[in-house]
Each structure stands twice: as structure tokens, then as C-alpha cells.
């Protein structure tokens, strides 16, 4: 396995452990402990941790090393606002400019998401949760994939994961809301493919703000 592949694998493993609370907010990331936990060299770890800093999951504490970024209600409000901005603008542009390839990406992403959501109605597991989170992000990325901006897509990817982390840690849920969220995803997909701009934006907005409303209770 190449060094770049190893780094990518370890990056995903540490990011997922942060996303799902295995590495708690504020915890100090000691290189020796991480080296043993993820079976990787210190140089690769430093590379991975610096990537996680750039992605907003880790911060450098002066000369003291790395820590997992804390969560807070105000931070979640900022993440919600940014996610709404990126997804609404991206979806509007995609509905306006998207071609049949965009339609195919949206339909395919929703098909994958719907399949794993049906499985989650019957059972829950870390494996299914991780796969659902991936497919959920892929669906939302597909929705905005005709926005015409790689930067827009990259920022959305990072904000989406940070948003999910708050939902998992602070709302004590992985985000799956059974039939309710299944219906929301189906309606967003149908409205988007029907080029119903107002309807799709309204449904998407309500879908995202559900978590903000629940965080205030």
C-alpha cells in the first residue's frame, strides 16, 4: 500500500472516530497513542492531523500539540447557516444548469441512500450508520453537483461532516430519523428532478433546520 493510500485510510479512520464521538471534543491527540491505535508512523500522523486541522476537526494548541475541536451551540448555528447557504445556492444553480448527467447522479445517489435507509428501519449498527452517513452526504453532494464550482463542492463536503459531528455528539443521534427522513429525502429528490425550484429549496431548508430546532429543545 502506498504512503498516500495509508495516509488517506488513516485520515478517514480518525475523522470517523471524531465524527462519531470515539475521540471526544477537546481531547488531546497524543502522537504515541495514535501511532499504536492506528498502526501508522509519526510522520504520516502529522500529515493526517494537519489535514484534519484544515478540515476543521482538529486544532493546534500552541506548542502543546493537537486537540479535537470543541462543539458549542453557537458553532452549530454557524454550521447550519453555512450549510443552508451552500446547499440552497448549489441546488438552485444545479436545477437551473443541470443536464441529464446531473439528473442521473441525483437519482443514483438517492437509490443507494434509500436502500440503506430501508435496512436501518429493521436494524441499527455502526457499519450501517457509517454507510448511511456516507450515502447521505453523497446524495446532498449530488444535488449540488451541477453548481459549477469545485470550491463550492469542497466547502460543502467539509461543512456537512462538521454538521453531522455536532448532531452525533450533542443531539445524541446519528441523524437517522426513520420514516420521517426517508420521506424528506424522497421529496427533495422528486422536487429537484422535477425542476421545482421553490418546492425543492423549501423542502431542503426544512430538512436541514430540523436539527437546529431539535438542538434548542
Amino acid at each position: 500500500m502506498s504512503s498516500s493510500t495509508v495516509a488517506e485510510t488513516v485520515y478517514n479512520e480518525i475523522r470517523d472516530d471524531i465524527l462519531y464521538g470515539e475521540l471526544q471534543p477537546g481531547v488531546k491527540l497524543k502522537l504515541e497513542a495514535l501511532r499504536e491505535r492506528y498502526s501508522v508512523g509519526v510522520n504520516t500522523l502529522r500529515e493526517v492531523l494537519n489535514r484534519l486541522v484544515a478540515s476543521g476537526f482538529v486544532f493546534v494548541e500552541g506548542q502543546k500539540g493537537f486537540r479535537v475541536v470543541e462543539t458549542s451551540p453557537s458553532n452549530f448555528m454557524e454550521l447550519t447557516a453555512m450549510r443552508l447557504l451552500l446547499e440552497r445556492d448549489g441546488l438552485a444553480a444545479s436545477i437551473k444548469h443541470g443536464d441529464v448527467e446531473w439528473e442521473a447522479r441525483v437519482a443514483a445517489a438517492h437509490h443507494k441512500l434509500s436502500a440503506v435507509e430501508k435496512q436501518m428501519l429493521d436494524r441499527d449498527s455502526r457499519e450501517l450508520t457509517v454507510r448511511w452517513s456516507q450515502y447521505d452526504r453523497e446524495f446532498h453532494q449530488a444535488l449540488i453537483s451541477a453548481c459549477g464550482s469545485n470550491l463550492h463542492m469542497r466547502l460543502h463536503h467539509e461543512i456537512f461532516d462538521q454538521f453531522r459531528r455536532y448532531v452525533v455528539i450533542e443531539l445524541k443521534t446519528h441523524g437517522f430519523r426513520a420514516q420521517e427522513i426517508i420521506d424528506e429525502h424522497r421529496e427533495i429528490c422528486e422536487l429537484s428532478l422535477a425542476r421545482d425550484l421553490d418546492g425543492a429549496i423549501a423542502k431542503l431548508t426544512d430538512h436541514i433546520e430540523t436539527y437546529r430546532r431539535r438542538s434548542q429543545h
Side-chain angles (χ1 to χ4, degrees):
M1 188 180 295
S2 69
S3 59
S4 61
T5 302
V6 171
E8 187 66 26
T9 298
V10 174
Y11 173 85
N12 289 330
E13 288 176 351
I14 297 178
R15 184 199 61 194
D16 285 349
D17 283 344
I18 293 173
L19 279 174
Y20 296 104
E22 297 291 332
L23 293 171
Q24 285 287 312
V27 73
K28 184 175 177 61
L29 298 172
K30 299 179 180 179
L31 291 177
E32 186 59 30
L34 293 176
R35 187 184 66 80
E36 293 181 5
R37 178 169 180 163
Y38 298 102
S39 302
V40 69
V42 171
N43 288 339
T44 299
L45 272 175
R46 289 187 182 279
E47 175 190 339
V48 166
L49 290 172
N50 281 317
R51 279 187 64 192
L52 289 163
V53 169
S55 298
F57 291 111
V58 170
F59 71 97
V60 181
E61 189 181 28
Q63 300 299 316
K64 298 180 181 179
F66 299 91
R67 284 187 184 274
V68 176
V69 167
E70 298 275 6
T71 60
S72 69
S74 61
N75 177 245
F76 184 56
M77 294 303 102
E78 291 179 2
L79 289 172
T80 301
M82 183 57 70
R83 185 178 169 192
L84 283 168
L85 175 65
L86 291 169
E87 288 203 31
R88 289 193 296 206
D89 284 0
L91 181 56
S94 294
I95 288 176
K96 182 176 181 181
H97 301 295
D99 56 12
V100 69
E101 295 297 330
W102 169 73
E103 293 177 356
R105 289 194 297 272
V106 172
H110 180 256
H111 179 73
K112 288 170 60 178
L113 177 61
S114 178
V116 77
E117 286 179 333
K118 290 175 182 176
Q119 294 180 54
M120 291 183 72
L121 288 175
D122 297 325
R123 63 186 177 91
D124 192 7
S125 69
R126 169 70 184 263
E127 178 190 357
L128 273 180
T129 297
V130 170
R131 187 144 43 100
W132 175 77
S133 296
Q134 176 188 340
Y135 291 173
D136 186 30
R137 184 181 62 229
E138 288 177 2
F139 172 62
H140 284 271
Q141 286 253 289
L143 288 169
I144 67 171
S145 63
C147 68
S149 169
N150 290 330
L151 177 59
H152 192 131
M153 295 292 294
R154 187 167 69 250
L155 288 173
H156 173 262
H157 188 294
E158 294 176 1
I159 293 297
F160 188 98
D161 280 350
Q162 292 180 43
F163 182 97
R164 172 60 48 75
R165 174 177 177 248
Y166 186 95
V167 170
V168 170
I169 293 172
E170 298 299 333
L171 302 189
K172 310 302 182 185
T173 173
H174 46 53
F176 182 66
R177 295 179 276 111
Q179 193 62 48
E180 178 184 36
I181 200 168
I182 291 175
D183 291 342
E184 289 172 9
H185 284 147
R186 175 181 50 77
E187 290 169 9
I188 292 169
C189 181
E190 291 175 350
L191 289 165
S192 298
L193 294 179
R195 311 282 175 154
D196 182 344
L197 177 59
D198 291 341
I201 295 297
K203 179 57 65 175
L204 178 68
T205 300
D206 185 65
H207 171 72
I208 295 171
E209 288 194 332
T210 295
Y211 299 102
R212 178 187 57 78
R213 292 191 294 268
R214 293 189 178 191
S215 74
Q216 296 173 333
H217 293 159

